[in-house]
Amino acid sequence: MEASVKDFMVPIAKFPRISDTATFSGAVMALERANEEYLSGKREQRILLVTDSENKVVGKLSPLDVVRGLEPDYEKLVDEQSSVYVEKFSYVIQPMKEQTTLWAKPLDDLCTTAKDILVKDFIQPPKSSQIIDLDANLNNAFHRFVMFKHDSLFVMEGKKLIGLLRFSDVYKEIGRRIKDSCGL
């Protein structure tokens, strides 16, 4: 029997949460706390799920999301889901970056950023490539991780979010299968 997403996903109840109305500085502190609790064994997960005013999960928060929050207009300039690879077209992107204020000085006034920006100002809802069905096979998930460079996928049962599939868990399964098939 082929392994499926449901065999490896982690239920959303196991993840810490943060409100989308938390400040940028609150997000940084919450990520640090979640990481410390994870490393000390007090918590199984360090990914923060972002909830709206109705306590509905609207996204996830990672350190990379926080860094992107320093320049939230980045998403308007570059569509990471597009089939065009940005690296191959740096000759087009570089002049665009130079003509805008994007990336100009994102680290200069962190205190203002930390108190004025809310999580909902920069958190991105899951993209379609980041959503996978509970009954999908693990090969499907593997391809999404590789093609779209996600660190986790939102697992849906119908229209209901029920968990996350983390790349680290899929990677462990890859390692296990290599050891088993090669007799290691």
Side-chain angles (χ1 to χ4, degrees):
M1 185 164 124
E2 178 131 10
S4 72
V5 167
K6 68 180 157 195
D7 299 323
F8 294 91
M9 68 138 212
V10 178
I12 61 169
K14 292 194 173 202
F15 291 91
R17 296 175 184 223
I18 187 169
S19 169
D20 65 355
T21 59
T23 62
F24 187 89
S25 60
V28 170
M29 296 301 120
L31 278 170
E32 280 185 24
R33 190 170 41 257
N35 190 51
E36 288 169 6
E37 290 174 355
Y38 173 78
L39 292 174
S40 71
K42 293 179 185 174
R43 186 174 288 283
E44 292 180 52
Q45 311 301 325
R46 61 177 149 196
I47 296 172
L48 286 176
L49 297 181
V50 179
T51 57
D52 64 12
S53 61
E54 297 171 359
N55 206 30
K56 180 182 172 202
V57 175
V58 293
K60 69 176 188 62
L61 186 66
S62 71
L64 185 56
D65 296 315
V66 170
V67 172
R68 283 184 181 141
L70 292 173
E71 189 49 82
D73 289 335
Y74 170 78
E75 294 293 326
K76 295 175 187 169
L77 180 61
V78 178
D79 177 8
E80 54 184 57
Q81 296 272 355
S82 84
S83 59
V84 178
Y85 293 100
V86 174
E87 299 87 35
K88 293 182 180 179
F89 297 97
S90 63
Y91 67 92
V92 174
I93 299 295
Q94 192 59 38
M96 292 170 68
K97 286 175 11 183
E98 291 168 3
Q99 290 176 7
T100 66
T101 59
L102 298 181
W103 297 282
K105 296 180 180 180
L107 300 176
D108 281 5
D109 197 1
L110 288 176
C111 288
T112 300
T113 299
K115 67 179 182 190
D116 293 344
I117 294 181
L118 302 180
V119 170
K120 66 181 171 184
D121 295 334
F122 64 88
I123 196 70
Q124 296 294 312
K127 294 173 175 42
S128 61
S129 65
Q130 207 172 5
I131 298 170
I132 194 162
D133 188 74
L134 173 69
D135 295 318
N137 68 47
L138 210 52
N139 286 318
N140 186 309
F142 174 80
H143 290 297
R144 288 172 190 247
F145 284 127
V146 173
M147 292 297 297
F148 299 104
K149 301 177 184 173
H150 298 307
D151 60 355
S152 60
L153 301 176
F154 289 81
V155 180
M156 305 295 286
E157 185 172 38
K159 293 187 179 206
K160 183 179 179 188
L161 173 66
I162 60 166
L164 286 183
L165 178 65
R166 302 172 305 176
F167 174 76
S168 59
D169 294 326
V170 174
Y171 183 76
K172 284 179 193 172
E173 178 63 7
I174 291 168
R176 186 193 68 74
R177 288 184 183 201
I178 289 171
K179 289 175 188 173
D180 288 353
S181 66
C182 297
L184 301 175

